[in-house]
Amino acid sequence: MPRYLRLVRKEARVREDQAAALAELRRRVQRQRKTRHEPVTDNTLIRVAVDLLLARGEELAGDTEDDLRASLGLRRPED
């Protein structure tokens, strides 16, 4: 069974700047790859980001998205 069929489908809405930056990051990672065993997609990077968030979950605190972001040392994006 292909790997993508073993994964649970989740949807997320992202800001336009996030979508553009994610696509650019994917292209950069693709260019730097040494082997081509599996594709690096936007979803690949999102899964890595979720793993990072879960690994730092103990640090997560706040009532708003901005609070949650700040608790992880991230600055507020320019709106």
Side-chain angles (χ1 to χ4, degrees):
M1 173 184 299
R3 182 166 191 241
Y4 78 94
L5 290 177
R6 296 188 311 259
L7 301 171
V8 176
R9 182 172 177 78
K10 292 292 288 177
E11 288 190 34
R13 292 189 175 268
V14 297
R15 296 184 316 267
E16 190 173 326
D17 65 303
Q18 290 174 317
L22 185 63
E24 177 56 36
L25 180 58
R26 175 186 39 79
R27 287 189 292 271
R28 183 171 56 84
V29 169
Q30 287 279 42
R31 284 191 304 269
Q32 294 173 345
R33 291 174 58 185
K34 305 262 189 279
T35 63
R36 308 277 178 189
H37 295 297
E38 64 181 55
V40 173
T41 66
D42 289 358
N43 282 323
T44 305
L45 298 177
I46 290 167
R47 284 191 299 275
V48 171
V50 168
D51 285 339
L52 178 60
L53 176 62
L54 294 174
R56 295 186 60 194
E58 294 295 320
E59 302 170 44
L60 198 61
D63 296 327
T64 66
E65 185 173 334
D66 285 341
D67 292 344
L68 295 170
R69 191 180 292 108
S71 74
L72 295 173
L74 303 173
R75 61 183 173 81
R76 184 171 190 237
E78 302 300 322
D79 291 322

